[in-house]
Amino acid sequence: MSKIFAIANQKGGVGKTTTAVNLSASLGYLDKKVLLVDCDPQGNATSGLGINKSELEHTVYDVLINNFDLQNALIKTPYKVSVLPSNMELAGAEVELVNLELRENKMRSALDKIRDDFDYILIDCPPSLGLLTINALTAADAVIIPIQCEFYALEGVTQLLNTIEIVRNQLNPLLSIDGFIMTMFDSRTKLSKQVVEEVFDNFGGLLYDTLIQRSVKLSEAPSYGQPIVVYDRFSKSAEMYLNLAKEVVERGK
């Protein structure tokens, strides 16, 4: 049975989608069977793996709202990652989910049918704590929280942790936090090092050893619809995400 991770942080611009795309592809590179669920209406995880958002026949919206068979909505990529894609159609799902029965369990019910087909399922959450993120947390076994190495890095994290606790108490008692991943690290600045120390002081052993550094190549890769392990396999960024993938695998043993 697969391990399901929700990659969540309601603060935007923290490297959430970059982590979802590149961690998925790195796990695929390690010969794991991977599904990436794009649960963000912006659909950046979808386009980041080379899928044209304007040509989608079925998306996560159909799965959540119309009970469409998830298996028939999946798109295989050349990167050993299958994708449940998303586009702006999903933006209306927050409102439409409100009136549905068992609204918080839509994602879990859909993934339960196919989770035996994969080793890892990663859900890229939107930058909010609405019903889409609640669905992801209810479906997940664990949460991966990206935090950027900038001022106010921990702003909003307390709110996310409170939401995780509510989901754990009411919907998904086995939900855990797999770890915090530091993104946009710049070894040249004192600030980046201070932020890492602050997160370590607060969360200790939950912090992944791998630091994701700022990188031009990492920023370029999505515009080519490729993960960094394909766009520039021997770059430092590719090595960082491969190391992170290995950590994720090791923590799950």
Side-chain angles (χ1 to χ4, degrees):
M1 184 178 287
S2 61
K3 185 77 177 280
I4 302 178
F5 293 107
I7 300 179
N9 190 329
Q10 77 273 21
K11 188 175 180 182
V14 300
K16 189 167 62 277
T17 297
T18 299
T19 296
V21 167
N22 290 292
L23 178 55
S24 295
S26 296
L27 288 167
Y29 188 87
L30 297 177
D31 290 325
K32 304 299 182 183
K33 295 178 182 177
V34 184
L35 169 62
L36 174 58
V37 178
D38 190 349
C39 208
D40 187 341
Q42 297 176 86
N44 290 335
T46 298
S47 57
L49 285 172
I51 299 169
N52 190 332
K53 292 182 290 186
S54 65
E55 297 180 353
L56 297 173
E57 291 187 21
H58 300 287
T59 69
V60 65
Y61 174 89
D62 297 303
V63 173
L64 294 178
I65 304 300
N66 300 324
N67 295 318
F68 187 78
D69 184 8
L70 185 149
Q71 186 71 51
N72 292 325
L74 297 185
I75 297 176
K76 292 184 178 180
T77 72
Y79 315 123
K80 297 182 181 179
V81 178
S82 294
V83 179
L84 177 56
S86 172
N87 55 23
M88 283 305 297
E89 185 181 31
L90 186 61
E94 290 278 6
V95 175
E96 294 180 62
L97 280 168
V98 170
N99 296 318
L100 297 183
E101 188 176 355
L102 299 174
R103 60 191 183 186
E104 298 92 351
N105 289 280
K106 291 293 184 179
M107 181 68 74
R108 178 162 61 186
S109 296
L111 292 179
D112 278 347
K113 299 173 184 176
I114 54 89
R115 67 179 296 169
D116 288 343
D117 298 336
F118 299 94
D119 297 314
Y120 294 95
I121 298 175
L122 278 65
I123 308 173
D124 184 30
C125 297
S128 69
L129 292 178
L131 275 171
L132 290 174
T133 297
I134 296 298
N135 260 268
L137 295 176
T138 302
D141 300 307
V143 189
I144 293 174
I145 304 174
I147 299 180
Q148 83 285 20
C149 294
E150 296 177 354
F151 279 117
Y152 309 120
L154 293 177
E155 186 180 72
V157 172
T158 299
Q159 187 181 358
L160 174 60
L161 296 179
N162 288 339
T163 300
I164 291 172
E165 189 61 28
I166 291 170
V167 170
R168 187 183 287 138
N169 289 335
Q170 299 182 9
L171 298 163
N172 184 4
L174 299 181
L175 181 65
S176 64
I177 296 174
D178 197 72
F180 294 82
I181 172 71
M182 304 305 302
T183 63
M184 306 177 196
F185 180 79
D186 188 341
S187 59
R188 300 168 298 177
T189 68
K190 187 176 180 181
L191 173 62
S192 280
K193 296 172 184 176
Q194 288 176 335
V195 172
V196 172
E197 290 175 4
E198 182 181 10
V199 174
F200 182 80
D201 288 343
N202 280 274
F203 303 109
L206 286 175
L207 183 62
Y208 291 108
D209 292 332
T210 304
L211 302 175
I212 305 300
Q213 299 190 26
R214 287 188 180 276
S215 161
V216 173
K217 293 287 186 182
L218 194 57
S219 300
E220 288 176 350
S223 63
Y224 291 88
Q226 296 178 340
I228 191 65
V229 289
V230 174
Y231 181 67
D232 193 348
R233 167 63 189 87
F234 298 104
S235 66
K236 193 169 185 179
S237 294
E239 289 302 319
M240 286 186 291
Y241 271 107
L242 283 170
N243 287 337
L244 177 61
K246 291 172 184 175
E247 274 196 80
V248 169
V249 171
E250 191 61 32
R251 286 194 182 194
K253 289 182 178 179

